[in-house]
Amino acid sequence: MEKSTGRFFSNSSSSLGITCFIAFITIIVLRVIYVIYRTGKPPNKRSPPQALSTLIVLGSGGHTAEMINLLLVLQKDRFAPRFYIAAATDNMSLQKARVLENSWADSSGVKGISAEFMQIYRSREVGQSYVTSVWTTLVATVHALWLMIKIRPQVVLCNGPGTCFPLCVIAFIFKVIGIRWSSIFYVESIARVKKLSLSGLLLYKLQIADQFFVQWPQLQRKYPRAHYVGCLM
Amino acid sequence: MVFVTVGTTCFDALVKVVDSQEVKDELLRRGYTDLLIQMGRGSYLPTKSTGDDGSLAVDYFTFSSSIADHLRSASLVISHAGSGSIFETLQLGKPLIVVVNEDLMDNHQSELAEELAERQHLYCARPPTLCQTIAGMDLKSLVPYCPGDATPVAKLINRFLGFPED
């Protein structure tokens, strides 16, 4: 009698476990579908938003120059506090961002910092093989997770460097889990005329970016969900 | 003065070909007297020359925090195909020859150089063709580049987030 009772309980607890697991997976899948459905639609807001915490992803070469060009025409009080992230091996980008923030602080005379500067492990170095990049991307993702948990931005601005991909994926996951709903804006680099970068292609196809901007008409024809905005530089 | 820049990259092929007698002679023939090379992370060192003997004066350095002053005092810029260098030069209205690095994996940079060359904003070359590009260039035929504008992007971002129109 007791043996069959014991077996009955262990059977029902394992089937309960399986049921819970299936329910959990179903909830996650439904949540992912919901997030993808809502991606690209403006966030529900009854009144105009206050300042939104903003993550700005910088990249070596022309990426930072383009991003700074965009920041110059964004209202600083709407996108604050600002968090700048650049790859650990990129020496110049954070410096350029600091110069920009200092010039803003000087001109407005406002004391106190509404900007923070951070470095992140790189997903892929320029010229690194795509095969070894899989491992380095995983490492970068863990580091990105750590930083994103601290920042939890409401707005993500990025324009192409590989650094941005793990950050955008994590922002998407935060939306799924309900940690933070963010709006992800991706501006494909001006250097991409006919083909998207790998980051761009992934963020476009996976529908992670809320708004996807391209600077050349050839790309808008190929990727119709993208907004053609002309050259930024 | 001819200013050569490779940005933050290593582009020995360009530095080497610019330092070749062929290219230096062609620059002299086209009326240039000085050559300044920003060689970045490259390992090939050009040969310095004072130019006192009527040859091209040649000097080089690795990096500087800003090349804007060198761009401003140049009458011809020869640059790698990085978008930062390209647009910094075009925005200063300087004649530009962009040299595409054939050793780069997934050479996306060439797309931009070729598009801008098609629109006649600059000349596009590869290290082996640089000399003939210099020989055949007609700088007066270059079309000035109108600087871009980031406000369309800013408008769309603001509208999406629900901020009021300015």
Side-chain angles (χ1 to χ4, degrees):
Chain A
M1 250 334 249
E2 282 173 359
K3 253 197 200 162
S4 58
T5 315
R7 211 178 298 136
F8 171 76
F9 276 122
S10 78
N11 274 348
S12 62
S13 70
S14 65
S15 58
L16 180 66
I18 291 172
T19 310
C20 283
F21 180 70
I22 292 175
F24 176 71
I25 295 292
T26 308
I27 290 170
I28 294 283
V29 169
L30 287 175
R31 185 75 190 159
V32 169
I33 293 171
Y34 171 73
V35 170
I36 293 180
Y37 164 74
R38 278 228 54 116
T39 295
K41 298 186 171 55
N44 277 331
K45 287 219 157 53
R46 260 152 256 147
S47 55
Q50 304 290 329
L52 300 171
S53 64
T54 302
L55 171 64
I56 298 156
V57 186
L58 302 173
S60 58
H63 290 293
T64 294
E66 287 185 55
M67 184 56 82
I68 288 181
N69 238 42
L70 173 59
L71 294 172
L72 287 171
V73 296
L74 286 176
Q75 296 81 342
K76 300 180 277 303
D77 53 334
R78 293 180 177 178
F79 299 90
R82 290 179 289 283
F83 301 89
Y84 293 88
I85 288 189
T89 48
D90 175 359
N91 301 318
M92 316 235 309
S93 293
L94 287 179
Q95 187 49 32
K96 290 191 182 143
R98 268 186 238 266
V99 167
L100 179 67
E101 288 287 342
N102 285 342
S103 71
W104 282 342
D106 287 341
S107 62
S108 68
V110 172
K111 291 278 187 251
I113 311 159
S114 62
E116 271 186 57
F117 306 88
M118 285 161 271
Q119 291 190 309
I120 189 175
Y121 291 119
R122 225 172 181 161
S123 307
R124 176 179 162 260
E125 295 288 339
V126 174
Q128 184 182 344
S129 80
Y130 287 111
V131 173
T132 59
S133 303
V134 174
W135 167 249
T136 48
T137 302
L138 284 170
V139 170
T141 307
V142 172
H143 190 209
L145 188 60
W146 170 246
L147 292 172
M148 284 293 278
I149 287 173
K150 289 206 289 186
I151 305 172
R152 291 194 302 278
Q154 294 164 294
V155 172
V156 179
L157 295 178
C158 50
N159 69 352
T163 335
C164 73
F165 183 68
L167 293 164
C168 289
V169 169
I170 291 167
F172 181 85
I173 291 173
F174 281 7
K175 280 159 126 166
V176 170
I177 302 178
I179 289 179
R180 169 77 89 198
W181 191 274
S182 57
S183 301
I184 301 172
F185 301 97
Y186 182 86
V187 185
E188 183 61 282
S189 161
I190 197 171
R192 298 293 180 162
V193 180
K194 300 197 182 110
K195 288 192 341 230
L196 288 184
S197 62
L198 183 58
S199 313
L201 194 61
L202 288 169
L203 292 175
Y204 182 88
K205 293 285 184 192
L206 296 174
Q207 301 203 44
I208 289 179
D210 285 281
Q211 288 205 311
F212 193 97
F213 302 105
V214 293
Q215 302 190 44
W216 297 93
Q218 294 96 314
L219 282 177
Q220 211 273 321
R221 287 194 281 273
K222 262 179 105 170
Y223 302 99
R225 279 185 286 115
H227 298 269
Y228 166 57
V229 288
C231 291
L232 262 63
M233 300 293 286
Chain B
M1 187 263 280
V2 181
F3 181 61
V4 179
T5 172
V6 306
T8 53
T9 69
C10 165
F11 193 359
D12 279 338
L14 173 58
V15 180
K16 240 182 240 176
V17 79
V18 161
D19 194 38
S20 69
Q21 206 51 54
E22 220 193 352
V23 167
K24 288 197 278 206
D25 286 344
E26 194 57 51
L27 288 174
L28 266 173
R29 208 171 298 140
R30 297 295 315 244
Y32 299 101
T33 52
D34 301 72
L35 174 64
L36 177 60
I37 306 173
Q38 180 263 320
M39 50 174 274
R41 289 190 281 127
S43 43
Y44 174 84
L45 299 177
T47 327
K48 289 200 193 194
S49 164
T50 53
D52 290 340
D53 54 350
S55 65
L56 199 65
V58 180
D59 196 5
Y60 66 87
F61 63 96
T62 51
F63 290 105
S64 79
S65 55
S66 160
I67 55 166
D69 289 333
H70 299 298
L71 290 175
R72 262 186 276 266
S73 35
S75 43
L76 171 68
V77 177
I78 301 176
S79 163
H80 77 131
S83 63
S85 304
I86 290 178
F87 288 107
E88 216 185 325
T89 308
L90 288 179
Q91 281 165 0
L92 288 169
K94 295 294 175 174
L96 173 59
I97 303 177
V98 169
V99 182
V100 174
N101 189 345
E102 301 174 295
D103 297 326
L104 283 182
M105 181 167 72
D106 172 33
N107 202 341
H108 71 271
Q109 290 187 333
S110 61
E111 271 181 27
L112 177 65
E114 282 158 16
E115 179 71 24
L116 292 172
E118 239 167 89
R119 293 175 183 227
Q120 294 184 286
H121 294 304
L122 48 83
Y123 283 101
C124 187
R126 299 171 295 113
T129 65
L130 179 60
C131 194
Q132 72 208 56
T133 306
I134 296 171
M137 67 187 182
D138 173 18
L139 299 183
K140 287 194 285 291
S141 71
L142 289 178
V143 175
Y145 177 77
C146 290
D149 184 14
T151 37
V153 185
K155 271 211 178 102
L156 288 171
I157 290 177
N158 276 300
R159 195 179 301 162
F160 182 86
L161 292 170
F163 285 114
E165 296 272 326
D166 281 331

